[in-house]
Amino acid sequence: MDLKNDLYEILFGAIQEGLILVNNEGVIVELNKTGNLMFGYNEKELVGQKIEVLVPMKARGGHENHRSKYNEHPTSRSMGSALKLDGVRKDGSEFPVQVSLNPFESKIGEKYVVALVSDVTERRENEQTLLKLRESLEQKVKERTQELRESEKLYKSIARNFPSGVISIFDKSYKYLFAEGQGLYELGIETSDLIGLDYLDRIDPRARKQVKEELAEVFKGESKSFEVNVGERTSLINAVPL
């Protein structure tokens, strides 16, 4: 029993990728069962044919040039991971492939290349699905961003024209996050003048305790409407939690 030959036969037949042995002239010398099935040929049908028969017609001329240059400086390398490569079946249908090339020389000096071919149709389809999903998400983000910008413009427009009053937004430490309304402009105050300042500092000291107690309930999640009386001036405050 020749153990080396037996191992060769087992590995050559069992591997799930297509194995194609090509000589220095680009002629197919041998290929395994998976390679035949992948390209739709019967056993031995491809032996003796040029490797270009497995390359789409539009790429055959270029492939011959690449093969000639490769034979001048043969090295082990992978093709089709970044570069999109296609193979062509006997029936003319094309499919995406990834190819690994491994040159070797026989004991009598004959040069060959072993091509390990993988059908990456499923992977290519998954990549396209992910690409379409990413493009869809990017489009939704753009649309949503535009909607938010338009909503923000509308909100600011409404707030800015809030009659005889001010719309204020502040955090739990009573620091201004936003403020708009005609009441500000009547006082000659710009929105930017208030951001980061303490809301309570703008309340008359005589009413500050009442306002703080009322707003404490709002921070707990309760909407409130209350009046603040200071001297002859009465103000109505409507407060809602955000």
Side-chain angles (χ1 to χ4, degrees):
M1 180 179 70
D2 190 330
L3 183 58
K4 287 185 177 179
N5 285 338
D6 288 344
L7 273 174
Y8 167 79
E9 292 293 337
I10 291 171
L11 291 173
F12 199 73
I15 194 167
Q16 296 301 305
E17 287 78 15
L19 271 175
I20 305 175
L21 179 63
V22 181
N23 67 17
N24 205 43
E25 286 72 45
V27 175
I28 298 172
V29 177
E30 187 62 85
L31 71 164
N32 65 349
K33 182 179 180 180
T34 302
N36 282 309
L37 292 173
M38 185 182 297
F39 288 93
Y41 288 87
N42 297 320
E43 186 179 1
K44 302 297 182 182
E45 192 176 356
L46 281 168
V47 174
Q49 297 195 54
K50 283 290 191 74
I51 188 65
E52 277 75 30
V53 73
L54 304 180
V55 177
M57 187 65 69
K58 61 181 179 291
R60 287 182 185 178
H63 186 270
E64 289 179 354
N65 292 332
H66 290 314
R67 178 166 55 79
S68 297
K69 291 180 181 179
Y70 176 82
N71 286 337
E72 293 174 5
H73 304 285
T75 57
S76 296
R77 67 179 187 181
S78 179
M79 302 161 52
S81 52
L83 180 67
K84 302 296 185 184
L85 296 180
D86 291 316
V88 61
R89 300 185 182 92
K90 184 179 179 180
D91 63 8
S93 59
E94 298 181 11
F95 64 105
V97 295
Q98 183 171 342
V99 182
S100 295
L101 301 179
N102 295 279
F104 77 95
E105 189 172 331
S106 70
K107 292 180 180 179
I108 59 175
E110 294 176 330
K111 295 181 178 180
Y112 298 91
V113 174
V114 175
L116 182 67
V117 185
S118 301
D119 182 341
V120 293
T121 300
E122 184 175 351
R123 188 179 75 188
R124 187 79 64 84
E125 289 174 350
N126 289 339
E127 289 173 352
Q128 289 300 315
T129 299
L130 288 173
L131 179 61
K132 289 179 180 178
L133 177 60
R134 186 178 67 186
E135 290 174 348
S136 175
L137 289 173
E138 288 176 350
Q139 182 60 33
K140 287 180 180 178
V141 169
K142 288 180 181 178
E143 292 173 357
R144 181 58 178 153
T145 301
Q146 183 62 29
E147 289 173 0
L148 289 172
R149 285 174 178 168
E150 291 175 357
S151 296
E152 184 180 9
K153 288 179 182 178
L154 179 60
Y155 170 68
K156 284 185 176 180
S157 176
I158 293 172
R160 184 163 295 173
N161 292 286
F162 186 69
S164 303
V166 179
I167 294 177
S168 303
I169 299 177
F170 42 84
D171 59 23
K172 282 190 174 182
S173 61
Y174 297 97
K175 296 292 190 261
Y176 273 102
L177 302 176
F178 177 86
E180 281 287 4
Q182 290 183 2
L184 284 182
Y185 298 102
E186 290 172 2
L187 297 172
I189 299 173
E190 295 289 338
T191 301
S192 58
D193 297 334
L194 297 177
I195 304 303
L197 299 182
D198 193 315
Y199 172 77
L200 294 177
D201 286 346
R202 297 192 63 249
I203 303 296
D204 189 293
R206 292 170 291 177
R208 195 170 294 166
K209 183 174 182 294
Q210 177 200 351
V211 171
K212 187 172 184 179
E213 289 175 351
E214 296 281 8
L215 292 179
E217 297 299 316
V218 179
F219 280 122
K220 293 177 182 179
E222 178 184 347
S223 297
K224 300 206 72 175
S225 180
F226 57 94
E227 290 185 351
V228 177
N229 298 296
V230 178
E232 297 181 355
R233 182 181 177 86
T234 299
S235 300
L236 175 65
I237 297 179
N238 294 296
V240 295
L242 296 176

